[in-house]
Amino acid sequence: MSRSVDALDSAFPVAASIALDLIRHPEVSAQWSRPSALPHLSVGGLACHLGRQAIRAAELLPTPSDLPVLESADNHYERAAWVTEGTPDAASVAASNDEEDAARGPADLHASSAAALKEAGDLLGRGAARDVVPIPWQGWALRRADFLLTRQLEIVVHSDDLAVSVGVPTPEFPAEVFDPVRDLLVRLAVRRHGQSALIGALSRSERARDISAF
């Protein structure tokens, strides 16, 4: 097991804790079955997708891997097919298990996410997380810091989606959580659209273009 320490080892539990607070918000439970801001996905399904980031971490951080290791989190998004497939259709959303998980209700998600957060925090805190973490559904692995960064990106982005869906303020993440996600999104946006598009969008409202990273 790894005993090396990375800044994201301490940042990830903070991110997951903020996500858990949002998942527990009364408005999420009250609007559980209503459509979310994402196509084909209910508020409950989106909440389950958000909560699953801690669950994935708890499952995978201690898991040995013999999968090929990608160079960076950027490579993960460059190679993942879903990045270039556009907005998921109804069949793709149905295949993700988010709605199946949502059918068990908010209380089940609250319990499983809280337990996963505790387990992931314990693994990272006592140095029991692996240096290399598998992502079996993709067929490759990432170094621990890169894996945690991908989970933090999911948390930051989908926390905004969920907050917008139920009409509550989007959580504010501390710099140690938000800044690495911001920088990754900027790099991915530049790779997809080029430097000029990014510069125009951030500095020239009269010629701003879509610079979505995905």
Side-chain angles (χ1 to χ4, degrees):
M1 294 292 185
S2 168
R3 289 289 173 183
S4 63
V5 176
D6 182 87
L8 295 186
D9 288 356
S10 57
F12 176 77
V14 174
S17 179
I18 292 171
L20 180 58
D21 287 343
L22 176 60
I23 288 166
R24 288 170 166 165
H25 195 289
E27 282 300 320
V28 174
S29 295
Q31 301 184 48
W32 193 258
S33 299
R34 295 180 181 177
S36 76
L38 300 185
H40 316 300
L41 195 60
S42 70
V43 166
L46 177 54
C48 287
H49 187 79
L50 177 58
R52 188 177 295 117
Q53 305 317 312
I55 294 169
R56 291 286 196 200
E59 291 173 347
L60 297 175
L61 283 171
T63 302
S65 175
D66 58 2
L67 294 171
V69 183
L70 298 191
E71 196 171 307
S72 67
D74 302 53
N75 296 146
H76 168 77
Y77 291 106
E78 289 164 6
R79 294 182 56 170
W82 65 265
V83 172
T84 57
E85 288 175 350
T87 302
D89 58 21
S92 298
V93 172
S96 71
N97 296 325
D98 292 328
E99 295 297 345
E100 182 180 335
D101 291 347
R104 293 194 285 269
D108 184 86
L109 175 63
H110 298 168
S112 61
S113 295
L117 170 57
K118 184 177 185 301
E119 184 174 352
D122 178 66
L123 288 165
L124 292 166
R126 61 186 174 87
R130 299 272 177 173
D131 284 330
V132 172
V133 182
I135 305 183
W137 62 92
Q138 293 288 5
W140 58 69
L142 292 169
R143 294 178 182 86
R144 185 176 69 250
D146 292 320
F147 169 78
L148 292 173
L149 178 54
T150 66
R151 298 312 96 195
Q152 283 186 198
L153 184 146
E154 292 281 330
I155 286 172
V156 170
V157 170
H158 290 306
S159 289
D160 185 59
D161 291 331
L162 184 58
V164 168
S165 296
V166 300
V168 301
T170 297
E172 289 286 324
F173 292 92
E176 64 266 27
V177 172
F178 182 77
D179 290 1
V181 171
R182 175 203 62 201
D183 294 346
L184 174 57
L185 286 172
V186 168
R187 291 196 302 273
L188 296 175
V190 169
R191 182 181 182 276
R192 185 174 183 184
H193 302 286
Q195 292 183 4
S196 177
L198 183 77
I199 292 167
L202 295 181
S203 66
R204 294 287 179 253
S205 59
E206 62 272 17
R207 62 170 188 264
R209 303 187 316 200
D210 173 25
I211 58 166
S212 172
F214 304 121

